[in-house]
Amino acid sequence: MPIKKSHLSLLLSSLLTFGLSGCGSDTDSTITTSLSEVDLAIQHSINYTTIDAIDSFSNSIETLDTQIDTFCGAVETENLSTVQSSWTTSFVAWYRVLPFQFGPLANTDNSSPILDYIDAYRNATDSDRVTNLAAINPLITTLMASGEAIAQTSFSNTRAKEIGLNVMETALFSTTSGSTVTADIVAEFNAQPKKCDIIQALSYELSRRAEDVQSQWKDDYRDTTLSYQYLFTNNLLEDYFSVIDVQGDGTGTPASEELVVSVQEFLDFAGNANIFTDLTRYSNTTIWQALEASITTIENILDQTPETELTLLAIINNNGYEQDAETIELNIASIKQAITEQNTTDFTAAVRALDGNFKTSVLDGLNINKGLTFADGDS
């Protein structure tokens, strides 16, 4: 949403009228608050954008789990279509969450971040992405042929690349011989009941991790009895954890820096990974839906709709970086247009431009740490 001067004036005067005053701001803007204005804007972004994304993903995975059970109870075409649609909804919901690669998602589960067990593709190298995707069908074939029974918890200690959304997609959208014909997929599930055991075990792993991420964000982070949402948005993590903590929860880093770096890393990924080749194995449209969800999330982080709330883009604008704020909005609009047209060339160019904005304009406009190290060339 473009920031109009009249809207910005109304926003600032409203905030002052409501008495948001205190120790002062750490930027050049004239607003004074008990927390810095950037902190307040981060709180708003997290409370309304991040939490909604986390809830949406957790709910979609819960629905997927239920529909997998329904499908396995009656393996037929209609139920397969339903569960495939549910997987697509979950994948799109996941891409609303991906810009927030810190806190609960970065915490280690077994030997890898929780994020990797949901989506092993995101943090792999280009070559490993290709190799891991190619290995999924042989893996499923081996599991089906094995004499070992597959229980709900059979994959609880397996490697990240062998579970998660991509493995589930392969199992639901193709046969082990590579057919994507619905009748063939249904026939294989009927002929090989063990394949249902596989997707139910995969679903269990997705469900427990989605629930854990949601619970830690909203209720109890690492046994503190306080939510990560509260600790993060109030810069209180270092009151509970060591700065050298390796869990990746952002301890010792201001929320503004953690959020900006995380969004930039996602944009670096979106602008450099071979997503339009690797992630279009079964659908040419799902990845576009997912990326649209990500960009809308990032847009909302910067400029959530209600004009009575303090936003990051309003701060950038008010700190004298009006042209930078306009450029950011134009780049977001270009990304959205490229998504509508499914134009990979324009999408990549616009995402890389917005990536550059986060490395420079967003830092300058928010007056936060200029010495941050950013991802460069796919992370």
Side-chain angles (χ1 to χ4, degrees):
M1 178 184 71
I3 299 177
K4 298 179 181 178
K5 290 288 186 180
S6 59
H7 291 168
L8 182 61
S9 298
L10 176 61
L11 167 67
L12 300 183
S13 63
S14 296
L15 285 166
L16 291 171
T17 300
F18 288 129
L20 291 173
S21 60
C23 65
S25 165
D26 64 359
T27 79
D28 299 329
S29 175
T30 58
I31 304 172
T32 56
T33 64
S34 55
L35 292 171
S36 77
E37 63 189 28
V38 174
D39 288 336
L40 288 172
I42 293 293
Q43 281 189 346
H44 178 64
S45 294
I46 296 297
N47 293 345
Y48 291 93
T49 301
T50 308
I51 298 303
D52 186 59
I54 295 291
D55 285 344
S56 177
F57 176 63
S58 182
N59 293 339
S60 70
I61 290 295
E62 182 179 1
T63 299
L64 175 62
D65 185 61
T66 298
Q67 291 177 346
I68 283 174
D69 286 342
T70 299
F71 168 69
C72 287
V75 179
E76 54 190 40
T77 299
E78 183 177 352
N79 288 340
L80 177 64
S81 297
T82 298
V83 79
Q84 287 176 335
S85 177
S86 186
W87 179 91
T88 299
T89 298
S90 296
F91 185 75
V92 172
W94 171 241
Y95 266 65
R96 291 180 61 191
V97 176
L98 264 185
F100 308 109
Q101 190 178 206
F102 54 87
L105 279 178
N107 288 171
T108 300
D109 182 5
N110 294 333
S111 60
S112 300
I114 289 176
L115 180 146
D116 290 356
Y117 289 96
I118 298 172
D119 180 4
Y121 182 87
R122 167 61 181 90
N123 288 327
T125 64
D126 280 342
S127 59
D128 282 347
R129 286 168 180 154
V130 173
T131 300
N132 292 345
L133 289 172
I136 294 174
N137 238 332
L139 170 67
I140 294 172
T141 301
T142 299
L143 290 170
M144 288 169 56
S146 170
E148 295 183 12
I150 295 177
Q152 185 182 60
T153 59
S154 289
F155 301 150
S156 292
N157 294 309
T158 195
R159 292 176 295 181
K161 66 181 181 180
E162 295 177 352
I163 58 175
L165 287 167
N166 295 135
V167 180
M168 179 71 82
E169 178 190 28
T170 302
L172 291 175
F173 286 84
S174 71
T175 66
T176 51
S177 61
S179 173
T180 58
V181 176
T182 299
D184 293 343
I185 299 170
V186 170
E188 182 171 74
F189 271 102
N190 276 315
Q192 299 281 350
K194 197 171 185 180
K195 192 172 184 183
C196 259
D197 296 337
I198 292 170
I199 63 172
Q200 287 175 317
L202 289 171
S203 182
Y204 173 76
E205 297 303 320
L206 280 171
S207 295
R208 74 181 183 90
R209 288 184 171 92
E211 289 170 7
D212 180 64
V213 169
Q214 182 186 44
S215 175
Q216 300 235 14
W217 261 106
K218 297 178 65 176
D219 301 316
D220 181 8
Y221 182 65
R222 293 176 62 190
D223 299 322
T224 61
T225 73
L226 298 171
S227 69
Y228 185 77
Q229 175 185 6
Y230 175 78
L231 293 170
F232 180 73
T233 60
N234 288 281
N235 292 317
L236 293 176
L237 286 164
E238 44 276 354
D239 289 354
Y240 293 85
F241 306 108
S242 167
V243 173
I244 61 172
D245 193 299
V246 297
Q247 284 289 329
D249 51 31
T251 300
T253 303
S256 56
E257 296 178 18
E258 192 72 29
L259 183 59
V260 167
V261 170
S262 183
V263 172
Q264 185 277 323
E265 287 178 342
F266 172 79
L267 292 170
D268 184 78
F269 158 74
N272 291 284
N274 297 317
I275 51 179
F276 298 111
T277 300
D278 297 340
L279 300 182
T280 54
R281 296 177 298 155
Y282 307 113
S283 169
N284 291 321
T285 59
T286 300
I287 188 59
W288 290 108
Q289 296 172 41
L291 291 168
E292 182 177 24
S294 298
I295 296 305
T296 299
T297 292
I298 292 170
E299 182 179 34
N300 288 339
I301 290 169
L302 291 169
D303 193 24
Q304 185 75 17
T305 301
E307 294 178 3
T308 56
E309 299 285 355
L310 190 64
T311 71
L312 295 173
L313 206 55
I315 295 169
I316 293 170
N317 193 84
N318 194 52
N319 280 346
Y321 293 87
E322 295 93 341
Q323 184 58 56
D324 295 274
E326 183 178 345
T327 299
I328 289 169
E329 289 182 306
L330 289 173
N331 285 334
I332 290 174
S334 295
I335 294 171
K336 287 184 166 183
Q337 183 63 29
I339 290 172
T340 298
E341 298 173 354
Q342 296 190 8
N343 187 317
T344 58
T345 301
D346 289 353
F347 174 85
T348 300
V351 165
R352 289 177 177 176
L354 186 61
D355 181 1
N357 295 148
F358 270 82
K359 293 176 181 176
T360 54
S361 303
V362 173
L363 290 184
D364 293 340
L366 298 178
N367 195 23
I368 60 178
N369 187 355
K370 308 301 192 297
L372 296 176
T373 300
F374 288 103
D376 188 12
D378 188 18
S379 63

